[in-house]
Amino acid sequence: MDPIILFFMLGLVAGLLKSELRLPSAVYEFVSILLLLSIGLKGGVELALQPFLGLLPDVLVAIVIGLLLPLVAFTVLSRLGGFKRADAASIAAHYGSVSVGTYAVAAAWLTSRGIGFDAHLPLLLVVLEVPAILVGIVLARGIFSDTHWHKVAHEVFLGKGIVLLLGGLLIGWWSDPAALAGIEPLFFDLFKGILAIFLLEMGLIAASRFGSLRQYGIFLLAFGLAMPLFGAVIGAVAGTLMGLSVGGTMLFATLIASASYIAVPAAMRISVPEANPTLSLTASLGITFPFNVLVGIPLYWKLAEAVHAGLPG
Amino acid sequence: MNEMDELKPHSRKLLTIVTEAALEASLCRDLERLGAHGYTITNARGKGSRGKREAGWDSDANIRIDVVCDDATAERISTEMRRRYYDNYAMILLLSDVQVLRPEKF
C-alpha cells in the first residue's frame, strides 16, 4: 500500500469520525503552492529538452477535449438528472476541467514504479484547466449575455493554479539546469512528503462533503463515478492516438477523468452565482476525487496498457 | 483644533459584512465606489443558513469586512449589497452606531 494513499485515508477516517484534527488554512495554502510549483518546474525542465512546436497538435487535442467534455456532462446532467441549467453548467465545467491533486497522485504512482511519462503532460494540465470554464459560463448564460469577460479572464488566467503552474513551467524551462540543483531538495526530493500532507487535508475536506451527499442523492453519486470512467476512456484513446507513452497515456486519462475543485469553483462562484456550489463540490470532492485516488489510478494504468495493446500507437 | 475637540466623540455607523471569501475583490471595488474611505478585512469561519464554512480551503472560506462611515454611505452600501448579493451568496450585514475620535478619517 502506498503511504500517500494511507495519508488520504487517515484524513477521510479522521474527518468521518469528527476528529478535532484540522490543518491551518495557511498550511494547506502553502502545501498546494508547493505542489503546483513542483509540477510546473518538473515539466519545464523536461520541456527545455525538446522542440516546442511539435507539442502543438497535442495542445490542440487537449483544448478540443476540454471544450467537448463539459457539453457531454451538461447534456447528461440536465436531460437525465433534471438539474437546473445553472447547476448543470457549473458541474459540467468542474468535470471538463482538471484536478492538480489527482494529477500529482497519479504522477507519484508512476514515479514510484519507475514508469516514465511524456514531458509535456504538465503543459497539457495547464491547457486543460481553462476551456471547460468558458464552456460552463456560456452554457449557463448564453454567448450574448452580460457576462464581464474581462473579469472572467482575470479570474481564470490569473488564478493561483494557472499562475503557479505556468510560472513554474517557465522557471524550469529557462533555468540553468546546473543552478536548479539548489532548489531541487525542496521541490523535487520532498514532493511525496508534501503530497502526503496535502492528501491528509484532502481526506478531511472530502469527508466534510459526505454529509451533503445524502442530501443530493443517488444520481449525483452515479454521475460522480461514471463521468471519470467515461473521461478516462476518452483520455486513454486520445493519449494513445497522440502517441504518448503508456505512462503518459495513463496520466492523460487521469487528467480527463479528474474534476476541478480549485480554479473552477472560484470562477463559477463569480460568473454563475445562481449555481449551487454545494452540488458541484460534493460531486468533485466528495465522490470523484476519492474515487480517482483510491480506485481510478490503478484502473487507468490497466486501461492505458489495454488501449496501447489494442490500438496502433 | 484644540485638545478638547480632538477628544470629543462623533457618531458614525459601523457596517459589518460577513460573506464568502470569493467576493473579496468585487466587494472592495463596490465599497470604494460607494464612498467608503476605508475598510478592514479579517478571515472568518462559522455556520449559517447556507451551512458550515470552516475556512479549511479556498472555496470554504469566509471574510468579515468592517466599514466605518456616515449614515448615507452605510445606507448606500447596504442597499447595493442587498440588490447584488443577497439572492445568490452567503452574506449577512450588521449595522451599529459607533463613536469615533477622528471624524475626518471616516
Side-chain angles (χ1 to χ4, degrees):
Chain A
M1 194 83 193
D2 197 327
I4 57 170
I5 302 300
L6 292 172
F7 272 92
F8 180 66
M9 288 162 83
L10 174 63
L12 271 184
V13 172
L16 288 174
L17 295 177
K18 307 258 183 292
S19 152
E20 291 285 298
L21 173 66
R22 40 182 294 157
L23 295 191
S25 54
V27 170
Y28 171 78
E29 186 92 351
F30 179 61
V31 163
S32 57
I33 287 171
L34 277 180
L35 280 186
L36 289 161
L37 280 174
S38 300
I39 292 170
L41 279 170
K42 193 154 221 149
V45 171
E46 306 273 339
L47 272 182
L49 306 173
Q50 54 175 278
F52 183 69
L53 281 180
L55 305 175
L56 280 183
D58 287 5
V59 169
L60 279 178
V61 173
I63 292 177
V64 171
I65 294 179
L67 292 172
L68 293 182
L69 205 63
L71 294 178
V72 176
F74 179 77
T75 313
V76 171
L77 289 161
S78 50
R79 292 278 164 77
L80 296 179
F83 283 96
K84 281 189 297 190
R85 182 171 167 183
D87 287 330
S90 167
I91 303 173
H94 284 71
Y95 279 82
S97 187
V98 291
S99 144
V100 177
T102 315
Y103 174 91
V105 178
W109 191 93
L110 289 173
T111 310
S112 67
R113 283 161 183 76
I115 304 165
F117 53 87
D118 309 73
H120 59 297
L121 259 300
L123 181 66
L124 299 181
L125 165 68
V126 178
V127 170
L128 274 167
E129 287 233 24
V130 181
I133 300 179
L134 308 178
V135 175
I137 296 173
V138 170
L139 283 172
R141 297 237 164 285
I143 292 182
F144 303 106
S145 61
D146 57 349
T147 302
H148 300 290
W149 286 106
H150 63 279
K151 254 166 86 180
V152 174
H154 185 271
E155 182 72 32
V156 171
F157 291 105
L158 292 175
K160 177 173 82 180
I162 300 272
V163 168
L164 290 173
L165 277 173
L166 216 51
L169 266 175
L170 292 175
I171 293 172
W173 196 350
W174 288 334
S175 291
D176 179 0
L180 267 175
I183 60 169
E184 265 171 22
L186 175 60
F187 289 104
F188 299 160
D189 302 351
L190 290 181
F191 184 78
K192 279 198 89 173
I194 293 164
L195 187 57
I197 296 175
F198 175 80
L199 283 174
L200 176 64
E201 172 70 7
M202 289 304 294
L204 289 168
I205 292 174
S208 74
R209 294 277 140 194
F210 287 168
S212 35
L213 199 55
R214 274 197 297 278
Q215 206 178 331
Y216 292 108
I218 198 80
F219 183 84
L220 202 60
L221 178 69
F223 178 83
L225 297 176
M227 196 62 202
L229 292 172
F230 172 73
V233 173
I234 303 279
V237 172
T240 308
L241 294 176
M242 281 149 71
L244 300 179
S245 64
V246 184
T249 302
M250 178 273 215
L251 264 189
F252 194 66
T254 307
L255 276 179
I256 308 294
S258 71
S260 167
Y261 53 83
I262 297 177
V264 180
M268 287 297 131
R269 207 67 201 103
I270 298 296
S271 310
V272 189
E274 67 274 29
N276 179 356
T278 313
L279 284 175
S280 41
L281 286 173
T282 298
S284 78
L285 273 173
I287 306 167
T288 303
F289 184 83
F291 173 74
N292 277 335
V293 166
L294 298 175
V295 182
I297 286 171
L299 197 65
Y300 305 152
W301 169 251
K302 294 233 157 51
L303 179 68
E305 279 187 320
V307 177
H308 259 255
L311 283 178
Chain B
M1 204 188 281
N2 66 39
E3 200 166 307
M4 280 318 285
D5 279 343
E6 271 181 43
L7 290 175
K8 201 172 127 236
H10 298 256
S11 293
R12 288 290 184 273
K13 288 284 187 228
L14 166 63
L15 184 64
T16 300
I17 308 167
V18 181
T19 190
E20 302 174 25
L23 287 181
E24 180 170 326
S26 76
L27 279 184
C28 294
R29 275 195 301 272
D30 290 344
L31 291 177
E32 287 179 32
R33 183 169 52 81
L34 295 167
H37 293 177
Y39 47 80
T40 304
I41 303 181
T42 38
N43 296 326
R45 55 202 160 86
K47 187 178 176 184
S49 64
R50 292 178 191 247
K52 209 173 194 177
R53 299 178 61 84
E54 309 219 43
W57 57 297
D58 315 350
S59 300
D60 196 31
N62 270 0
I63 49 170
R64 170 195 167 128
I65 309 182
D66 289 308
V67 189
V68 177
C69 55
D70 57 36
D71 290 18
T73 311
E75 173 79 36
R76 270 201 307 281
I77 294 174
S78 34
T79 310
E80 180 78 354
M81 295 296 112
R82 199 156 42 228
R83 189 181 69 76
R84 286 188 57 177
Y85 301 112
Y86 269 26
D87 287 346
N88 293 318
Y89 294 97
M91 175 181 281
I92 57 167
L93 283 184
L94 309 171
L95 197 59
S96 43
D97 295 309
V98 288
Q99 308 283 309
V100 299
L101 292 180
R102 291 184 291 169
E104 70 280 5
K105 283 179 76 74
F106 308 102

